[in-house]
Amino acid sequence: MDTPQDAPRRSPLKLIAAIVVPLLVVGVGVYLYVTSAGTAKVGDCLSDGATPDSPMVKLACGEAADYRVVGRLEGRKKDEINESTPCERFPTTAVTYWEGDDSSGNLLCLEPYRP
């Protein structure tokens, strides 16, 4: 007669890791999407990056905000933006910010934020 083998036990650490790791990945993804300047709409505020190479970050309008979005132009190529002045129709524009991939992206026309 065969003796039944014990069912393999799952390590509690593996079970916790199987739950926590995916939640962390989803949480980080949501945070990056929510704070991405590329998702900013007219009226949203942005904080300039700490260095020239760091991206702008969307945040609540307040003391930490540097700019407010006054115009959003979607589906623009980066080359078009350098050759023209698409933010002319937003007279308070002081800075432009483009975010996208190789084919197209979004141009944000920004004015300095003054609380």
Side-chain angles (χ1 to χ4, degrees):
M1 205 188 247
D2 292 326
T3 59
Q5 293 182 348
D6 291 333
R9 293 187 149 204
R10 291 188 177 181
S11 163
L13 186 58
K14 286 183 180 179
L15 180 62
I16 291 170
I19 294 170
V20 171
V21 169
L23 287 175
L24 283 173
V25 169
V26 169
V28 168
V30 168
Y31 173 78
L32 291 174
Y33 176 79
V34 169
T35 60
S36 170
T39 63
K41 295 175 179 62
V42 172
D44 286 345
C45 289
L46 302 175
S47 174
D48 203 351
T51 66
D53 294 334
S54 60
M56 289 200 185
V57 178
K58 184 171 72 171
L59 46 70
C61 294
E63 292 293 320
D66 296 311
Y67 302 103
R68 182 190 316 261
V69 179
V70 292
R72 178 182 170 91
L73 305 170
E74 297 183 6
R76 299 294 179 122
K77 292 183 180 179
K78 194 168 189 176
D79 294 343
E80 287 178 49
I81 293 158
N82 294 333
E83 296 171 3
S84 63
T85 53
C87 289
E88 281 180 336
R89 60 183 151 165
F90 308 106
T92 59
T93 298
V95 174
T96 58
Y97 180 77
W98 184 87
E99 188 173 285
D101 57 27
D102 291 336
S103 60
S104 71
N106 301 319
L107 175 69
L108 301 177
C109 305
L110 309 173
E111 69 179 4
Y113 177 72
R114 295 179 184 92

